[in-house]
Amino acid sequence: MTEILMEDLALQLVERSKGILAADESTGTIKKRFDTIGVENTEENRRDYREMLFTAKGVSDYISGAILYDETLRQQASDGRSIPQLLEEQGIIPGIKVDMGAKPLAFSDGEKVTEGLDGLRERLADYYQLGARFAKWRAVIEINDGLPSTYCIETNAHALARYAALCQEANIVPIVEPEVLMDGFHSIDECYAVTETALKSVFDELYKQRVVLEQMLLKPNMIVSGLQCPEQAEEDEVSAKTIYCFEQTVPASVPGIVFLSGGQSEEQATANLNKINQSGSHPWELSYSFGRALQTSALSTWQGKKENVDAAQAAFIKRCKLTSLARDGELSEETN
Ligand code: 13P
């Protein structure tokens, strides 16, 4: 793969009409997904499933980059090409999840801190050799009964910044992902307050640790009601509060904000993204880095069967197309 400046690569990932496919589920998480369709969690099945997504005809019209799990970055497609090579030949930039997951935070009330900094410099050098040009690190922040604590927010922000600095040193664009979980009974305003505090803390750490903002992307949650909250906010409120939150916290030099879907349905995630992109112009591109909201239909159509591959690819491309329209603010009610 050719050398490209990190600021150019960041812009390429959030090019108009395109966004990122998060296909970096850990072996444990993909098992949960496969369990829903009764497919055994073998290395071959994981490869076949991902290969099906990456080779869908027209995928690069909508997908600029794909985040992979370590195993996938090292895997070969059924025709013998490496997966990063297959992606590059499709015009998709390979990315890599580099965190080692959220682990219990010492002396906290059940909160988590993301691990994976030890040896990261060496792993990043290896990932670059294997073709990865951008990376992801996800911090998890839960809203629940007095949580999150400042301790949890600050510890995770510090780790995110350490990761981001190491990525840039290795010529890899970091995606910085502080995810405020949707799970819970909290209101949209509680989601707003926690997300604002978390983002302020993250950008404070990024600044202190000399991370170049033009060479990164932010991957946040949208500002939404908790999944179990009886009063669910509509798209207009989600869009207004999400944008306002970024105006308060995200410097204009950050080139792009790529949302996670976080447990929203495919339709809800695209409807919200569409509204957000209809809200006028902003300093950052507002795009997607969805996992479930791009894959749910494809996975349930596939069912692990060869004869379903064409239909599953069609279902995947349909979601890609609708998400791409939403990223441009051009989705209409009939099309979603
Ligand atoms: P979801 O869109 O399914 O939340 O996944 C995105 C992601 O990469 C979370 O880290």
Side-chain angles (χ1 to χ4, degrees), residues 17-320:
S17 310
K18 292 191 188 185
I20 295 168
L21 167 66
D24 60 325
E25 300 85 0
S26 65
T27 307
T29 301
I30 198 77
K31 179 181 186 313
K32 286 189 215 153
R33 309 276 187 267
F34 280 3
D35 282 349
T36 65
I37 54 166
V39 168
E40 205 189 334
N41 189 23
T42 62
E43 183 173 349
E44 195 179 352
N45 284 341
R46 293 192 289 273
R47 196 276 311 270
D48 289 350
Y49 173 65
R50 267 92 182 225
E51 185 174 340
M52 174 193 81
L53 300 177
F54 303 153
T55 56
K57 201 164 174 294
V59 62
S60 63
D61 292 344
Y62 316 111
I63 301 297
S64 54
I67 316 174
L68 309 178
Y69 189 57
D70 182 284
E71 173 186 276
T72 319
L73 190 74
R74 300 173 193 279
Q75 253 171 349
Q76 288 189 335
S78 49
D79 64 5
R81 283 183 294 172
S82 74
I83 296 282
Q85 189 189 354
L86 179 156
L87 286 170
E88 279 165 43
E89 286 172 11
Q90 293 272 79
I92 297 174
I93 303 165
I96 179 75
K97 168 191 171 77
V98 303
D99 68 69
M100 309 288 267
K103 305 284 162 60
L105 176 63
F107 298 127
S108 82
D109 195 6
E111 294 185 284
K112 297 205 164 134
V113 64
T114 301
E115 294 190 350
L117 289 168
D118 288 350
L120 183 56
R121 175 177 280 126
E122 292 73 24
R123 287 198 290 130
L124 286 167
D126 186 30
Y127 289 145
Y128 191 92
Q129 289 304 320
L130 290 165
R133 292 295 176 268
F134 71 102
K136 173 187 120 172
W137 177 291
R138 172 175 175 257
V140 179
I141 296 156
E142 188 187 339
I143 305 179
N144 183 20
D145 229 359
L147 301 182
S149 63
T150 307
Y151 168 39
C152 170
I153 287 178
E154 289 183 352
T155 316
N156 274 294
H158 189 267
L160 274 166
R162 283 197 61 196
Y163 139 82
L166 282 165
C167 283
Q168 291 182 344
E169 189 190 77
N171 214 13
I172 289 179
V173 170
I175 296 187
V176 173
E177 180 179 5
E179 175 175 3
V180 177
L181 293 178
M182 252 184 108
D183 269 327
F185 291 87
H186 55 272
S187 67
I188 184 169
D189 289 329
E190 287 172 277
C191 175
Y192 177 95
V194 170
T195 307
E196 186 186 62
T197 305
L199 290 178
K200 279 188 173 154
S201 182
V202 165
F203 280 100
D204 185 42
E205 284 294 342
L206 292 171
Y207 172 70
K208 285 181 186 154
Q209 298 188 42
R210 309 177 181 182
V211 173
V212 182
L213 300 184
E214 289 83 352
Q215 299 174 352
M216 61 160 274
L217 296 173
L218 177 71
K219 177 163 174 169
N221 48 286
M222 296 177 189
I223 306 298
V224 290
S225 316
L227 270 177
Q228 290 84 26
C229 176
E231 232 173 89
Q232 290 291 313
E234 307 269 330
E235 288 105 65
D236 282 330
E237 190 178 358
V238 168
S239 164
K241 290 186 171 163
T242 301
I243 296 290
Y244 187 73
C245 185
F246 299 155
E247 284 170 352
Q248 303 309 307
T249 55
V250 186
S253 46
V254 172
I257 295 173
V258 291
F259 292 102
L260 56 94
S261 58
Q264 299 182 66
S265 70
E266 293 173 317
E267 291 76 17
Q268 196 58 60
T270 42
N272 284 332
L273 180 64
N274 191 48
K275 200 48 101 179
I276 287 168
N277 271 293
Q278 286 177 343
S279 68
S281 67
H282 309 287
W284 345 265
E285 296 294 333
L286 294 161
S287 186
Y288 49 93
S289 176
F290 291 168
R292 285 162 286 180
L294 281 168
Q295 295 184 48
T296 303
S297 298
L299 184 72
S300 61
T301 308
W302 179 55
Q303 298 286 324
K305 299 196 174 100
K306 272 203 173 66
E307 61 269 29
N308 292 341
V309 164
D310 286 353
Q313 286 183 324
F316 175 56
I317 289 295
K318 180 179 168 208
R319 283 323 309 172
C320 287

